[in-house]
Amino acid sequence: MAEKFLALMADLDDNTQEIMSGWYKTLTGAGFKGVQTPDLPYHITMAILPLEMEDEAVARMQKVASDFTEFPVHLSHIGMFAGGRVLFAGPERDGKLNAFHEALEFDVPQPHPWTPHSTIIIDEPETIQAALPLVVKSFKPIMGKITKFHLCAFQPKREIAAVELKKDNKHN
C-alpha cells in the first residue's frame, strides 16, 4: 500500500502517555483492540498534508519549535466523532493551543475542521458503544503537556521527523 498523506502531530508528555495507556489497557483487558495505528504516541493532530510537502513541513516544525515552549493542555472530557467510530480525550481549547495550531497551519484544505483531540480507540460504532462505559468509568480529567511534535507519512506509517519544544524552566 502506498503512502497517502502526512500527519503533523503534537505529542503529549510521558506522564500523559502513561495515563492514556492505562485507559487503553482497560479496554484491551476487556477484549477491545481497535483499528488505530499501533505504536503511535498519544497526540493531537495539527494538520494533514500532501506527501509532497514533507520538506516544507519539517522546516515549519523547526521554526515553530524555536518559537514555542512546552505548554499544558487540559484533557477535560471524552468525546466521539459523528459516525461513532472514534472515541477520544478532548483538550480545552485555549489561547496557547490555538496559537500553536495556527503556527502549524498550511494553506492546504483539511479533510475536516480542526477539532483538537487525542484518540483513545477507533473501531466500528457498535464496538465503540460497547467500550464507552469502560472509558467513562476509567477516565479522569488530566493536565497534560505538549512537549514535542512529529511528522509521519501514512499508510504504512513512516516516521519522518520529531522536534522537541523548548523546556519551560519556570513551570517544570
Side-chain angles (χ1 to χ4, degrees):
M1 184 185 320
E3 294 173 346
K4 294 184 172 84
F5 64 91
L6 301 172
L8 181 53
M9 299 167 276
D11 290 354
L12 297 162
D13 64 283
D14 291 341
N15 184 57
T16 303
Q17 297 292 331
E18 192 173 311
I19 292 167
M20 292 186 74
S21 292
W23 299 338
Y24 184 67
K25 187 178 253 184
T26 298
L27 291 172
T28 59
F32 298 99
K33 184 178 178 198
V35 297
Q36 64 280 357
T37 303
D39 304 321
L40 198 59
Y42 291 103
H43 64 274
I44 299 169
T45 301
M46 295 287 125
I48 300 298
L49 304 168
L51 293 171
E52 60 271 11
M53 291 186 70
E54 184 173 317
D55 292 340
E56 184 179 343
V58 171
R60 176 80 60 88
M61 290 167 62
Q62 292 166 340
K63 164 77 172 99
V64 171
S66 71
D67 294 340
F68 279 83
T69 57
E70 297 178 341
F71 63 95
V73 289
H74 182 211
L75 296 170
S76 63
H77 58 282
I78 54 176
M80 188 182 312
F81 284 120
R85 295 194 71 238
V86 179
L87 184 61
F88 61 84
E92 292 294 320
R93 284 184 77 160
D94 61 17
K96 190 75 169 186
L97 183 59
N98 287 336
F100 191 66
H101 176 251
E102 287 171 19
L104 292 166
E105 278 187 303
F106 293 79
D107 191 23
V108 296
Q110 293 297 293
H112 305 285
W114 187 60
T115 302
H117 69 282
S118 187
T119 298
I120 298 170
I121 189 169
I122 301 172
D123 212 317
E124 292 302 317
E126 308 77 39
T127 303
I128 295 299
Q129 289 170 16
L132 183 59
L134 292 172
V135 175
V136 167
K137 188 181 263 187
S138 64
F139 179 86
K140 301 280 185 275
I142 57 173
M143 189 60 77
K145 190 187 296 185
I146 300 293
T147 58
K148 67 180 178 180
F149 50 106
H150 74 278
L151 183 69
C152 289
F154 288 95
Q155 293 294 359
K157 181 182 86 167
R158 175 176 56 96
E159 296 279 341
I160 297 167
V163 181
E164 301 274 338
L165 298 178
K166 296 181 294 188
K167 300 275 186 224
D168 181 359
N169 294 321
K170 294 181 290 193
H171 297 100
N172 287 336

